[in-house]
Amino acid sequence: MSDVPSVPSAASEPVEPAPASSPKARRVKVVKNDAVLAADAARDMARAAVVEIAYRDTVGEHVRFEMNSERLGTHYFASLAKGYPDWQWAVSVARAPRAKVATVCETNLVPTASSILAPEWVPWADRLAPGDLSAGDVLPYKEDDPRLEGGFEATGNEDVDQVAIFELGLGRARVLSAEGRDEAAQRWYDGENGPSSDIARKAPAPCATCGYFLPMAGVLRQQFGVCANDWSPADGKVVALDFGCGAHSEADMEAPQAHDHQDAPVLDELDVDLEVSDGGKGARENTEHENTEHENTEHDEA
C-alpha cells in the first residue's frame, strides 16, 4: 500500500446544487372575484351607505366593482356633485370567512384620472417669489441657504483681515457665497439694467465711461456698479458696465438751429370771429330805455 495520501479529485468533491427557481416565489397571487361582495345585494347596500352620507342627488350610477384583497372589494358610483365632476364614490365592502353576507367598511369620494385636483401644496417660504415682499413682511430664516456662507472674524493678521474686510465683509455672521454672487451677477446682467435691454442698445455710450458710474466693491466691481445720475432711469440701481442710457455724462445732442431773422406778422383777413348773440333782446331793452328817457326829458321841458 502506498504511503502517499490520496487527494480527492474535483469530480469527487460534493457540489452544491444551484438553487432552483421556485414556482411559488415567482407566482403572483391573483385575487379571485367574490360572488358575495359583487352581488346585487352588496351593491345596493353600498349605494344605501353612500346615499346616507352624501348630499342629495349626488350619487350616480354604479360604475364598477373591484377586488382589493381576499374578501375585500370596492363598489364605485359616479358623482353628480357640481363641484366634483369626474369623481366617484368608493364604498369598500368585506365579509368574514365563510360568511354569506357583506358589510360596509368605509365610504370615500375619490378622484379619477380626468378629475380636477388642487395643485400640490407648496410651503409659504417656497411659494414666495422675488418682488412679493411688502412692508412689514419677514422672510423665514434659512440656515442652509446656498447663497450664503459663514463670515470671518479678525485674526490679527493685517493682510488677512484687510482681505476679509474688503472682500468678505468682516463682522457679519454670514456673507455671500460664490454661488450667491454668481446668481446675483447673472440676474443683474440679464435684467433691465444689462446690455441686452432696449435702452442700453440705443444708448450713446456705456456706463463704463460715465462720470455718474460708481463701481461696486469686491470682485463684482469688474462688471457692475451703481448709477448716481438722477436723470437716468437706473438712478440708485445696479447697472452693468456695458449698460447705458441717454443721461451719459459725456453724451451730447445737436442744438437746434436758430433763425437769423423773425418774419413780420401777417394779418389774416379771411378769418371770421363769431360771437354768440342774445337774439336782439339786449338791443330792444336798450332802445326802450332810451325812448323812456327821451319822453321824460320832453315832459320836463314842457
Side-chain angles (χ1 to χ4, degrees):
M1 179 179 289
S2 173
D3 295 332
V4 180
S6 61
V7 180
S9 63
S12 62
E13 292 183 355
V15 179
E16 295 183 6
S21 57
S22 175
K24 295 184 178 179
R26 300 197 311 267
R27 186 180 304 162
V28 178
K29 187 176 182 180
V30 179
V31 180
K32 295 182 179 181
N33 190 37
D34 195 299
V36 176
L37 300 182
D40 294 343
R43 181 193 60 194
D44 296 340
M45 181 182 58
R47 172 183 286 277
V50 72
V51 168
E52 185 178 352
I53 65 155
Y55 290 106
R56 178 183 296 180
D57 301 330
T58 60
V59 182
E61 298 294 330
H62 184 265
V63 178
R64 71 183 191 279
F65 172 75
E66 181 181 287
M67 289 295 298
N68 304 117
S69 62
E70 187 177 1
R71 298 187 301 276
L72 177 64
T74 302
H75 285 277
Y76 292 91
F77 302 88
S79 172
L80 303 180
K82 294 182 179 179
Y84 294 88
D86 297 331
W87 287 56
Q88 294 179 355
W89 293 101
V91 184
S92 59
V93 292
R95 69 176 181 86
R98 293 183 298 277
K100 300 301 181 181
V101 179
T103 58
V104 174
C105 297
E106 61 180 3
T107 58
N108 295 286
L109 184 62
V110 296
T112 62
S114 59
S115 299
I116 300 177
L117 302 177
E120 184 178 357
W121 184 81
V122 180
W124 178 80
D126 300 332
R127 199 162 57 240
L128 287 177
D132 291 344
L133 203 65
S134 59
D137 294 338
V138 179
L139 292 178
Y141 179 81
K142 296 179 65 173
E143 184 176 1
D144 55 346
D145 193 336
R147 299 172 301 173
L148 299 174
E149 61 185 13
F152 293 83
E153 298 180 355
T155 62
N157 187 322
E158 183 176 355
D159 295 335
V160 175
D161 292 344
Q162 183 177 4
V163 173
I165 293 173
F166 176 75
E167 178 66 25
L168 302 175
L170 183 65
R172 290 180 289 167
R174 295 191 294 178
V175 295
L176 202 62
S177 64
E179 179 179 350
R181 183 179 63 242
D182 295 342
E183 180 181 323
Q186 191 65 48
R187 184 174 64 253
W188 294 340
Y189 198 79
D190 297 337
E192 60 180 2
N193 294 329
S196 59
S197 63
D198 185 61
I199 189 173
R201 291 195 298 265
K202 298 179 181 180
C207 291
T209 59
C210 182
Y212 298 104
F213 179 80
L214 299 176
M216 298 185 67
V219 296
L220 289 178
R221 69 184 295 123
Q222 302 175 7
Q223 191 64 39
F224 299 100
V226 178
C227 178
N229 188 352
D230 56 346
W231 285 95
S232 172
D235 179 39
K237 300 178 182 179
V238 175
V239 295
L241 284 172
D242 41 0
F243 176 73
C245 68
H248 194 281
S249 62
E250 310 307 317
D252 196 4
M253 61 174 292
E254 295 182 1
Q257 296 181 358
H259 294 286
D260 297 335
H261 65 279
Q262 184 175 0
D263 296 334
V266 177
L267 178 61
D268 188 359
E269 298 179 349
L270 300 178
D271 191 14
V272 179
D273 295 333
L274 300 179
E275 296 183 358
V276 180
S277 174
D278 56 359
K281 181 179 179 181
R284 290 195 301 268
E285 291 178 351
N286 293 336
T287 303
E288 293 176 356
H289 179 69
E290 292 177 357
N291 293 336
T292 303
E293 290 183 349
H294 180 69
E295 290 175 359
N296 293 337
T297 304
E298 291 181 348
H299 178 72
D300 293 339
E301 292 179 351

